[in-house]
Amino acid sequence: MSETPEVVVVGIRMETAQIRSFELARHNGEMLPSWEPGAHVDLHLPSGTVRQYSLCSDPADLRRYRIAVLDVDGGRGGSREAHRALEVGDRVRVSAPRNHFPLHSAPEYLLIAGGIGITPILPMARSLAAGTAAVRLVYVGRSRPSMAFIDELTALGVDTRIVTDDVDGRLDLSALDIGSAAVYACGPVGLLDALAERVPSQSLHVERFTAEPAARDAHRGSDIFEVELAQSGLVLVVQPGVSVLQAIRSAGVDVPSSCEMGICGTCETKVLSGDIDHYDDLLTEAERASGATMMICVSRSRGPRLTLDR
């Protein structure tokens, strides 16, 4: 299976005034790579722009993938291109699914989605609805017309609470009965930060669509260090205000990337030696401690040199 298989846009649906879903399938009808709830794919748009979107279809149906795209005013242009340029019949490429937001076994779950954050949560709810664990879902948004997939959630039979700003006001997290539930959340940074203050870290699993401030500001570091590229034999000097990714590309070495905020995993690179200063929002503490890989779009070096498997 190609890492970026070509697929055809076989369906487009306006889920809300600002959210459009796209169904993608192989042109020859072959099955797509398997995936688990929480997974996302890189969508290669016609302009060459690459963006990550959570899979929100049924993992049991590999004939098609479905993604949903929020048209973001003032964004980086990917959502706008998807909404205005993609049409049924267009051929695009997607990466194999990757999952940095996996659903782990637990006796009880509390799923929390904010706005377009429903996209990875929906397959989780669908999967859990078929099991025996207790499941509750809280879905927050500005208004019901702005919230996608409410009818699908209702059909699952999961204990679902819809909270809208225009009717209910802001969600009162202090009133949530979290108890011993495993909490899975995706949504705006304010919601996720508030949950992090209230929910024990071992119980909270989140996926962010924007990086935390530390990761966003990592490229502003004042340190200077060297990066050795083991495969090419190059040794580069990474200057303050320049990311490792930028330095490598400036040397003429092609490196895949997408979000460039430390949240997608596209640029994850094997580290052969060196002390990494991690700023991503993906690796676990154990993975960071191992020093095996780094997200070169945001993470840097604590020491004078890193050696990368590039």
Side-chain angles (χ1 to χ4, degrees):
M1 183 70 69
S2 171
E3 177 65 18
T4 54
E6 186 177 69
V7 295
V8 179
V9 180
V10 296
I12 299 176
R13 174 185 168 95
M14 291 301 299
E15 304 293 346
T16 74
Q18 289 186 286
I19 298 174
R20 185 173 296 194
S21 66
F22 299 85
E23 289 193 334
L24 311 171
R26 281 185 172 271
H27 70 278
N28 58 8
E30 290 184 0
M31 297 295 102
L32 290 159
S34 61
W35 59 283
E36 299 291 335
H40 70 269
V41 294
D42 297 340
L43 176 67
H44 296 246
L45 291 160
S47 68
T49 296
V50 182
R51 292 290 183 265
Q52 296 75 45
Y53 297 105
S54 296
L55 291 171
C56 58
S57 45
D58 185 348
D61 182 3
L62 297 180
R63 295 170 300 172
R64 298 185 178 190
Y65 288 161
R66 182 179 65 178
I67 60 173
V69 182
L70 172 66
D71 192 3
V72 181
D73 290 333
R76 295 184 296 148
S79 65
R80 184 151 297 226
E81 181 178 356
H83 273 247
R84 288 157 181 76
L86 286 186
E87 298 180 354
V88 172
D90 285 350
R91 295 194 176 193
V92 294
R93 290 191 175 273
V94 294
S95 70
R98 297 196 302 275
N99 200 342
H100 299 293
F101 190 39
L103 189 60
H104 300 289
S105 178
E108 181 183 0
Y109 295 89
L110 174 59
L111 309 178
I112 301 176
I116 194 63
I118 191 61
T119 50
I121 297 297
L122 177 58
M124 291 183 176
R126 181 180 289 112
S127 175
L128 293 172
T132 59
V135 184
R136 291 172 291 143
L137 190 151
V138 179
Y139 184 13
V140 300
R142 294 188 305 275
S143 64
R144 289 183 74 97
S146 73
M147 301 164 71
F149 308 124
I150 288 180
D151 289 344
E152 284 190 37
L153 286 172
T154 302
L156 294 177
V158 171
D159 179 5
T160 300
R161 177 184 170 197
I162 306 295
V163 180
T164 62
D165 293 346
D166 61 344
V167 174
D168 309 292
R170 295 287 183 176
L171 174 66
D172 182 4
L173 291 178
S174 65
L176 285 181
D177 180 16
I178 295 172
S180 59
V183 180
Y184 285 79
C186 184
V189 63
L191 172 64
L192 301 185
D193 286 348
L195 282 168
E197 293 179 359
R198 173 168 171 74
V199 181
S201 59
Q202 66 270 21
S203 300
L204 181 61
H205 311 268
V206 303
E207 180 166 74
R208 295 177 181 270
F209 291 140
T210 58
E212 293 186 87
R216 288 198 302 266
D217 297 338
H219 67 281
R220 299 175 184 171
S222 60
D223 52 325
I224 299 175
F225 56 94
E226 293 181 342
V227 170
E228 177 184 356
L229 305 183
Q231 294 182 25
S232 61
L234 295 174
V235 176
L236 313 175
V237 177
V238 181
Q239 299 286 347
V242 177
S243 70
V244 175
L245 174 66
Q246 291 168 334
I248 294 175
R249 282 184 169 165
S250 295
V253 179
D254 186 33
V255 180
S257 70
S258 182
C259 74
E260 300 189 10
M261 296 186 292
I263 61 174
C264 77
T266 303
C267 71
E268 185 171 7
T269 298
K270 184 177 180 180
V271 179
L272 302 179
S273 67
D275 188 7
I276 309 162
D277 192 9
H278 292 284
Y279 285 96
D280 67 277
D281 196 41
L282 286 174
L283 297 177
T284 65
E285 289 304 317
E287 289 169 334
R288 291 183 176 193
S290 75
T293 67
M294 66 183 288
M295 307 302 162
I296 60 174
C297 64
V298 292
S299 296
R300 303 180 69 79
S301 178
R302 295 184 186 276
R305 178 178 284 204
L306 289 172
T307 302
L308 304 181
D309 188 17
R310 288 285 183 188

